[in-house]
Amino acid sequence: MTGGAGFIGSNFARHILGSHPEDSVVNLDKLTYAGNLENLRDLEKDPRYRFVRGDICDRVVVREAMEGVDAVVHCAAETHVDRSNAGAGEFLTTNVSGTFTLLEAARERKIQRFVAVGTDEVYGSIAKGAARELDPLNPSNPYSASKAAADLLARAYWTTHRLPVVVTRSSNNFGPYQYPEKVIPLFITNALEDTPLPLYGDGKNVRDWLYVLDNCAAIDVVLRKGKDGEIYNIGGGNEVENVVLTRQVLHLLGKPESLITSVKDRPGHDRRYALDSGKVAALGWKPAHSFGAALEATVAWYRDHEAWWKPIKSGAFRAYYEKQYSSR
Ligand code: NAD
Ligand code: TDX
């Protein structure tokens, strides 16, 4: 797998090693600001787990890491929309060129299954209904445009080269080990620090929330049972307005709503995402966690893991965050 030191990747590595005793995992990760070996401490001693530090754009490293591998689960990416709005270069390099490098190596190594982990953002904002897999793509920001490029390139390697690719497109994930620039961990940790929660625009944008462990289970199902060349939407079925979510977080922590601060909207801010997940459901997957219980568990995890997020928030993240809000 790639990107295993990030949020979804580390949860996925733990899921695979925990639920498939016959499997082993090679984790190729560059350790960007978002990659953190603390996310994987409990796996380090497992003889079925191996970490390789490297860039998915590096052909030699990628080729070596794929030696003896049956399947690739490609999670590595630049992932934060606000950062892509501030500068898209790394997004194109990692998300597009990096995916290309992996696809080429997978062809050469005759990999039996390549899972390209993608996002609902490729469909763009949807006023009504729910996106289906063959709907047109309409990405709004440089992040989602780079992910759409990666997703299409991966499918082209099936159509043209018969590389056995499957693509997942999931909705917004939340849960343990999510970098605290994303809205849920940012708002939980700000609330714990009694600092303002910056809500963009009118706060009425809607996201469909998916607990990360449910996404890991779905990726696992697609990895084993998905059909070559197919795309699978993975939605949580939990559409929530940002302002409602924010109030829920504050309520769970017993913090006042006066911490909510309206800030200037994100440029190109998609109003609503929604997915039809019927196809992955037909493979036998459905979310195992309710939104309310998963949000409560997530709030509790951050409350109990200050030692994980405090160093992140006081380090390089602080400079990013201050720059971000000085312009809003
Ligand atoms: P993340 O930002 O938490 O982690 C990304 C990981 O990729 C980090 O460990 C980082 O070090 C690594 N990485 C970045 N560039 C690299 C490079 N050039 N070479 C090797 N490693 C590199 O991301 P995440 O939220 O866990 O997302 C994982 C995947 O899921 C991404 O492809 C993302 O687009 C997709 N996705 C995320 C969400 C979500 O809500 N988080 C939703 C849908 C899809
Ligand atoms: O400070 C904030 N205030 C705020 O109101 C932040 C960081 C976000 N928001 C809003 C913007 C969005 O409507 O909250 C919502 C969620 O924002 P993010 O956490 O930045 O996620 P989003 O932009 O929806 O993208 C996420 O889901 C799809 C991931 O970051 C992507 O990697 C994934 O593909």
Side-chain angles (χ1 to χ4, degrees):
M1 63 180 299
T2 68
F7 163 50
I8 297 173
S10 58
N11 280 287
F12 185 72
R14 189 170 293 106
H15 164 87
I16 290 290
L17 293 170
S19 54
H20 298 281
E22 72 286 7
D23 287 352
S24 52
V25 171
V26 178
N27 170 21
L28 172 64
D29 197 297
K30 183 179 175 182
L31 300 182
T32 66
Y33 77 94
N36 184 350
L37 291 179
E38 292 302 324
N39 302 359
L40 299 153
R41 279 285 172 242
D42 53 321
L43 305 183
E44 273 171 0
K45 291 207 173 72
D46 191 325
R48 297 176 299 137
Y49 172 77
R50 183 161 71 89
F51 175 66
V52 178
R53 184 168 190 181
D55 192 328
I56 58 166
C57 300
D58 183 331
R59 273 192 310 163
V60 175
V61 168
V62 165
R63 202 178 167 279
E64 272 173 25
M66 270 190 213
E67 189 177 358
V69 160
D70 310 301
V72 173
V73 178
H74 172 32
C75 296
E78 287 294 334
T79 61
H80 195 44
V81 173
D82 293 318
R83 289 183 192 255
S84 83
N85 292 348
E90 287 293 316
F91 288 75
L92 295 175
T93 305
T94 288
N95 300 0
V96 186
S97 291
T99 301
F100 163 66
T101 306
L102 289 164
L103 290 165
E104 280 293 305
R107 260 183 88 195
E108 201 184 320
R109 291 284 192 197
K110 300 196 174 16
I111 294 294
Q112 292 161 32
R113 175 46 49 105
F114 188 105
V115 184
V117 173
T119 172
D120 62 356
E121 295 210 10
V122 295
Y123 297 113
S125 199
I126 293 174
K128 278 190 280 192
R132 301 194 61 177
E133 285 83 352
L134 294 180
D135 285 357
L137 303 190
N138 188 24
S140 312
N141 55 65
Y143 161 70
S144 51
S146 71
K147 290 294 291 183
D151 170 322
L152 293 173
L153 190 64
R155 288 191 66 226
Y157 269 64
W158 161 250
T159 309
T160 302
H161 299 303
R162 285 297 185 247
L163 180 72
V165 165
V166 282
V167 173
T168 66
R169 292 182 185 152
S170 87
S171 59
N172 283 59
N173 284 224
F174 69 103
Y177 301 107
Q178 186 168 31
Y179 194 84
E181 65 190 348
K182 307 295 191 318
V183 75
I184 288 186
L186 177 70
F187 281 11
I188 295 172
T189 56
N190 279 16
L192 285 167
E193 293 181 314
D194 296 306
T195 56
L197 277 51
L199 190 61
Y200 295 169
D202 65 4
K204 295 201 169 182
N205 301 64
V206 171
R207 296 294 183 265
D208 168 12
W209 291 101
L210 172 67
Y211 192 48
V212 64
L213 298 183
D214 285 329
N215 190 23
C216 291
I219 296 170
D220 192 3
V221 166
V222 171
L223 165 68
R224 284 160 219 273
K225 297 192 192 157
K227 201 168 150 237
D228 292 341
E230 295 289 315
I231 303 160
Y232 295 90
N233 287 344
I234 306 169
N238 304 299
E239 285 187 44
V240 188
E241 277 185 1
N242 289 341
V243 63
V244 173
L245 171 74
T246 308
R247 288 199 193 108
Q248 280 175 299
V249 165
L250 289 168
H251 177 75
L252 284 167
L253 287 167
K255 299 286 182 178
E257 288 189 13
S258 56
L259 282 175
I260 303 176
T261 311
S262 275
V263 296
K264 202 169 132 212
D265 210 353
R266 170 188 279 175
H269 193 177
D270 283 330
R271 195 65 169 166
R272 173 176 175 267
Y273 301 131
L275 292 175
D276 179 326
S277 306
K279 231 174 123 180
V280 71
L283 294 182
W285 174 85
K286 62 173 194 265
H289 301 85
S290 78
F291 177 66
L295 186 64
E296 206 177 324
T298 302
V299 165
W301 189 87
Y302 285 90
R303 195 174 34 213
D304 296 344
H305 289 79
E306 268 194 21
W308 181 85
W309 59 264
K310 282 263 183 192
I312 298 174
K313 284 193 94 171
S314 59
F317 177 74
R318 178 141 300 279
Y320 157 78
Y321 191 67
E322 278 162 8
K323 189 162 168 242
Q324 170 88 354
Y325 291 102
S326 65
S327 63
R328 279 177 192 271

